Amino acid sequence: MSLNQAQKEAVSHKDGPCLVLAGPGSGKTLTIAKRIEYLIQVYKVRPEEILVITFTKYAAGEMRERFLRVMGHKEALVTFGTFHGIYYGILKWAYGLNRENLLAEEDKYRLLGDIVSKMEWEDRPDNMEEKEFLSELAEEIGNVKNNSWDIETYESGRYGRTRFREIYYMYEKEKKRLRKIDFEDMLVQCCRLFHKRPDILKKWQQKFRYILIDEFQDINQVQYEAVRMLAAPEDNLFVVGDDDQSVYGFRGARPGIMKEFVRDYPEAPQILLNINYRSNAHVVNGASRVIAYNKQRFVKEIIPFRESAEAICIREVKNPLDESMYLLEMVKKYMKEGVSPEEIAILYRTASDAKTLVQTFSEYQIPFRMKESMASIYEHFICVDMCCYFRLILGSYERKDILQIINRPNRYIGRDSMADGDISYESLRSFYCDKKWMQDRIDRLEQDMEMLQKRTPYAAIQYIRKSIGYDEFIKSYVNYRSLDIEEILEIFEEIQERSKAFKTIEEWLQYVEDCRENQKRREKQKVSEKGIEFLTMHGSKGLEYEVVFIIQGNEGVMPYKKARTEEELEEERRLFYVAVTRAKDKLFISYVKEKNGKSKSPSRFITELLEVV
């Protein structure tokens, strides 16, 4: 394949630092592969002196394959790897580490769970939210390390300075006792090794004289510090990235790292790969209009190589259910026209935005693949509670069902009243025989359950929510747990809305059980199976598809409602830019008019996309 002028300039760069700004679809993988070839064949650099760093094993393998194709499949001794893989290799060499020393993710959560359980913590999470809680805690600990923040001065917004620092130190102490390192330690400890042992650093500097980094905008502070030390003193550091596609702020990555590179290496040439070979002109120009609203960026003009084909389609739909049916029909249409399912992608901001879509595609048996695991709405604790109530309505007195909902809402019925034997209304009344007001509560529960026997599932849920008081329980529960009331109510509304399709409680319970079984089967699905791609915007990065649908294009979703600062809003815009530029030929963006009975407005990004200059 022939190279354009900017690609040739990048490929022929020899010594010293170089920054390549590579827009979407600009051929950066080819450029990197050709540069490695050029270093070896023209500049006579020994292959074993070249290190190529990517962010995933898959990307490293793909880059290596591309390089071998460029070289005519001749075996070469160039090192391809991820940041963590390379630095772990250095630690293995220096300290004799092995896989036994690596802390697995499940072991990390177990370790943090044990630490938290030993602390005097009144608002500690219960089992229901523990997994999410520990995941967020682990992420924050990782962020402290990735950003090289001082734990002594770090202020945790969620846990407070003192409590977070206590957890952090206990976690580090326990890891040390177990002789374990976690994912972030691979980088942090390698940095420390380089600082403490200049002789070891020099050995690796001499081994890797030429370093190439792909997706440089995704680098965090510790990775940057370590690679700068490794590249010195020759500074043959060739970095390729796009600040407009920096979307991993939650991992410590930031677009400003590219500006920092320019400040640290003022002599480095800046080369712009600005021809987009992937997308049609409508997509390229629309994406450029959106990203131009960001202020913290390298200003660049991206030129479409391909002419305009179909215009971008913006679709307004009534609600998420209508949106899922619209996508279902469109997907069936394109598949009928011969578009391969693997060439169709549906993108969304968070996995929860796709729950209605997942349900609809499952019901209509349209094959799809989903990288992110997403709990079904029918696994949510609200649905579990409704199932327990429904079985009680049908006359079942399973112990676990009664224990689950007896105080949802609070009826002040103690567990000691259910300590022995079978539980029934009569056994509860007998326990509280000297408390008339408690007997009245139990009588009311029994009467409510009997009265609901002939109701439809929708009407029964409505009665449980409003007349029995379950909504009030939800409000107090989410307030105590510091959960997002809107997200919880959205799930509840969807469960209730979908129950309209069933006439009897028995039918609905069977449907829920079937959905749970389908979910288990989906989780066992092999990733290699073919189907429509369901992806978060983050998960779509680096990929491309003939037909792309972006759903839930509403304010509060894009940009995400938790994004409040200018910096956070700019990252949300970059994420939307990434999603839009995945489309090669056809791009559809839909937004809903209402959700859970509330009116919704289209995203500001859609307005920016359609703006006529």
Side-chain angles (χ1 to χ4, degrees):
M1 183 184 290
S2 60
L3 302 176
N4 62 41
Q5 188 55 44
Q7 289 171 330
K8 288 176 182 175
E9 188 181 344
V11 164
S12 60
H13 174 79
K14 185 175 185 288
D15 294 327
C18 179
L19 173 65
V20 178
L21 291 161
S26 60
K28 68 180 178 64
T29 304
L30 173 66
T31 302
I32 293 171
K34 294 293 283 185
R35 167 166 164 73
I36 302 167
E37 179 193 29
Y38 208 86
L39 285 173
I40 295 168
Q41 294 191 346
V42 178
Y43 294 137
K44 306 304 178 185
V45 175
R46 292 167 57 227
E48 53 267 44
E49 292 181 331
I50 301 172
L51 170 63
V52 184
I53 304 177
T54 64
F55 276 80
T56 66
K57 285 183 181 179
Y58 175 80
E62 192 178 56
M63 185 71 75
R64 187 176 187 278
E65 282 302 311
R66 189 65 173 267
F67 167 64
L68 290 175
R69 284 201 297 274
V70 165
M71 294 288 288
H73 285 277
K74 296 173 187 173
E75 187 58 46
L77 299 174
V78 176
T79 300
F80 293 85
T82 64
F83 273 103
H84 290 87
I86 298 300
Y87 292 136
Y88 173 58
I90 293 172
L91 290 175
K92 276 175 67 178
W93 175 87
Y95 297 128
L97 300 181
N98 57 48
R99 296 196 71 82
E100 292 296 312
N101 298 111
L102 298 181
L103 186 68
E105 282 296 293
E106 58 268 25
D107 293 330
K108 177 193 285 189
Y109 293 149
R110 193 178 303 117
L111 190 58
L112 287 171
D114 290 343
I115 290 168
V116 171
S117 68
K118 292 171 186 173
M119 301 179 72
E120 293 183 6
W121 197 339
E122 286 183 10
D123 57 342
R124 198 172 65 223
D126 60 22
N127 292 336
M128 200 173 298
E129 290 89 34
E130 186 176 37
K131 187 175 181 182
E132 183 180 352
F133 169 84
L134 293 176
S135 175
E136 290 175 351
L137 180 59
E139 185 179 295
E140 188 160 356
I141 289 172
N143 266 338
V144 170
K145 294 181 180 182
N146 286 334
N147 287 287
S148 295
W149 289 330
D150 182 0
I151 187 62
E152 287 298 317
T153 58
Y154 176 72
E155 187 77 46
S156 170
R158 182 180 291 266
Y159 313 105
R161 181 188 295 187
T162 304
R163 179 180 287 169
F164 182 79
R165 190 167 55 204
E166 186 180 353
I167 296 170
Y168 185 93
Y169 281 136
M170 288 173 72
Y171 173 64
E172 292 301 301
K173 182 180 178 181
E174 193 61 16
K175 277 199 291 119
K176 191 173 182 180
R177 184 184 71 80
L178 296 169
R179 288 184 52 79
K180 298 279 189 180
I181 63 171
D182 63 21
F183 199 59
E184 289 76 26
D185 289 335
M186 295 179 193
L187 303 170
V188 173
Q189 292 199 17
C190 204
C191 265
R192 288 176 187 161
L193 174 66
F194 287 168
H195 280 298
K196 287 192 302 184
R197 295 288 303 272
D199 56 323
I200 290 178
L201 173 59
K202 186 175 181 181
K203 170 187 170 59
W204 291 97
Q205 288 172 335
Q206 289 171 342
K207 175 170 176 56
F208 297 129
R209 291 185 53 240
Y210 288 84
I211 301 174
L212 297 83
I213 302 177
D214 187 21
E215 303 285 8
F216 185 69
Q217 76 281 348
D218 294 335
I219 201 170
N220 64 43
Q221 195 62 39
V222 174
Q223 289 167 336
Y224 183 53
E225 289 171 9
V227 82
R228 283 199 70 203
M229 284 190 279
L230 193 58
E234 295 181 72
D235 294 334
N236 295 323
L237 193 54
F238 183 90
V239 301
V240 182
D242 181 8
D243 55 327
D244 289 334
Q245 297 185 70
S246 177
V247 295
Y248 293 120
F250 60 91
R251 293 183 191 163
R254 52 191 176 81
I257 205 86
M258 300 188 79
K259 292 281 180 76
E260 194 172 326
F261 182 89
V262 172
R263 288 195 299 271
D264 291 334
Y265 302 103
E267 77 281 13
Q270 296 176 39
I271 302 168
L272 173 62
L273 305 185
N274 67 334
I275 300 176
N276 184 316
Y277 294 96
R278 174 193 300 150
S279 307
N280 74 50
H282 282 307
V283 173
V284 173
N285 295 332
S288 296
R289 285 193 292 271
V290 173
I291 203 64
Y293 278 84
N294 275 4
K295 295 172 185 175
Q296 301 302 317
R297 63 186 291 262
F298 286 91
V299 177
K300 53 188 89 74
E301 181 186 359
I302 304 299
I303 301 165
F305 180 77
R306 298 171 55 202
E307 294 181 0
S308 296
E310 290 188 33
I312 299 170
C313 176
I314 310 296
R315 177 79 174 217
E316 179 185 86
V317 292
K318 184 181 177 183
N319 54 38
L321 192 55
D322 281 3
E323 183 179 54
S324 71
M325 296 306 297
Y326 159 66
L327 263 73
L328 182 75
E329 293 308 313
M330 292 298 292
V331 163
K332 286 162 70 175
K333 169 182 176 289
Y334 281 115
M335 288 173 67
K336 192 174 181 180
E337 290 176 2
V339 178
S340 167
E342 304 91 85
E343 279 295 326
I344 303 174
I346 300 176
L347 312 183
Y348 34 85
R349 176 60 181 84
T350 66
S352 63
D353 297 325
K355 56 185 180 293
T356 305
L357 194 70
V358 167
Q359 206 64 45
T360 298
F361 273 56
S362 297
E363 286 174 11
Y364 285 85
Q365 299 184 329
I366 301 295
F368 64 89
R369 301 195 311 165
M370 193 171 185
K371 284 186 179 179
E372 304 84 9
S373 60
M374 182 182 72
S376 163
I377 57 170
Y378 298 116
E379 299 285 351
H380 195 272
F381 80 84
I382 286 178
C383 189
V384 171
D385 286 355
M386 292 304 105
C387 287
C388 292
Y389 264 115
F390 280 12
R391 285 190 287 269
L392 205 56
I393 290 168
L394 296 177
S396 170
Y397 300 107
E398 286 284 332
R399 183 182 189 81
K400 62 181 177 59
D401 289 345
I402 295 173
L403 286 169
Q404 177 80 11
I405 55 87
I406 197 68
N407 285 311
R408 296 187 169 197
N410 201 347
R411 298 178 177 91
Y412 301 96
I413 297 174
R415 279 183 172 257
D416 53 347
S417 69
M418 301 172 278
D420 302 312
D422 295 331
I423 307 172
S424 65
Y425 299 117
E426 200 53 51
S427 71
L428 293 173
R429 275 192 287 264
S430 177
F431 185 87
Y432 290 107
C433 60
D434 58 340
K435 293 183 175 65
K436 177 70 167 59
W437 61 278
M438 286 298 290
Q439 292 207 5
D440 290 344
R441 288 176 185 274
I442 296 162
D443 289 346
R444 176 64 189 272
L445 175 61
E446 183 176 19
Q447 290 161 13
D448 283 338
M449 296 300 98
E450 288 176 353
M451 187 266 290
L452 289 173
Q453 285 176 0
K454 301 298 182 184
R455 298 279 183 102
T456 65
Y458 181 88
I461 291 174
Q462 186 70 1
Y463 188 88
I464 292 167
R465 294 184 68 173
K466 306 303 179 185
S467 299
I468 289 179
Y470 191 87
D471 271 6
E472 289 306 310
F473 156 72
I474 287 292
K475 287 175 186 175
S476 61
Y477 183 84
V478 299
N479 184 55
Y480 179 66
R481 300 295 178 193
S482 299
L483 302 175
D484 188 323
I485 183 69
E486 281 193 32
E487 286 183 11
I488 296 292
L489 289 178
E490 274 181 19
I491 291 169
F492 209 165
E493 294 290 348
E494 184 171 356
I495 290 169
Q496 186 172 3
E497 187 66 24
R498 285 185 174 271
S499 74
K500 284 181 177 178
F502 305 93
K503 292 179 180 178
T504 68
I505 285 172
E506 290 91 340
E507 286 178 3
W508 186 83
L509 282 171
Q510 185 58 55
Y511 170 74
V512 169
E513 188 57 37
D514 291 344
C515 286
R516 288 173 178 170
E517 287 302 314
N518 287 337
Q519 175 77 4
K520 288 176 186 175
R521 279 196 292 273
R522 276 201 305 274
E523 287 172 357
K524 291 178 182 176
Q525 255 188 343
K526 294 178 181 177
V527 177
S528 60
E529 289 184 11
K530 295 181 179 181
I532 311 299
E533 294 280 5
F534 282 20
L535 293 160
T536 62
M537 291 177 166
H538 283 102
S540 72
K541 193 164 173 292
L543 304 174
E544 58 182 45
Y545 301 91
E546 187 176 330
V547 183
V548 170
F549 297 91
I550 300 175
I551 66 168
Q552 302 275 311
N554 293 85
E555 280 292 306
V557 178
M558 306 169 197
Y560 193 49
K561 58 192 171 190
K562 292 182 181 177
R564 295 184 178 91
T565 67
E566 191 62 34
E567 186 179 350
E568 289 168 338
L569 287 170
E570 290 211 352
E571 176 150 332
E572 289 294 308
R573 188 175 280 110
R574 291 194 295 272
L575 191 55
F576 185 77
Y577 177 77
V578 165
V580 166
T581 53
R582 298 311 94 196
K584 292 192 284 188
D585 296 312
K586 300 172 181 67
L587 174 63
F588 298 83
I589 304 173
S590 55
Y591 64 90
V592 300
K593 288 175 66 179
E594 62 179 59
K595 193 173 183 180
N596 302 327
K598 294 181 181 177
S599 178
K600 298 292 179 181
S601 57
S603 167
R604 70 190 75 179
F605 300 153
I606 291 178
T607 305
E608 294 167 3
L609 184 80
L610 298 176
E611 188 178 60
V612 178
V613 180

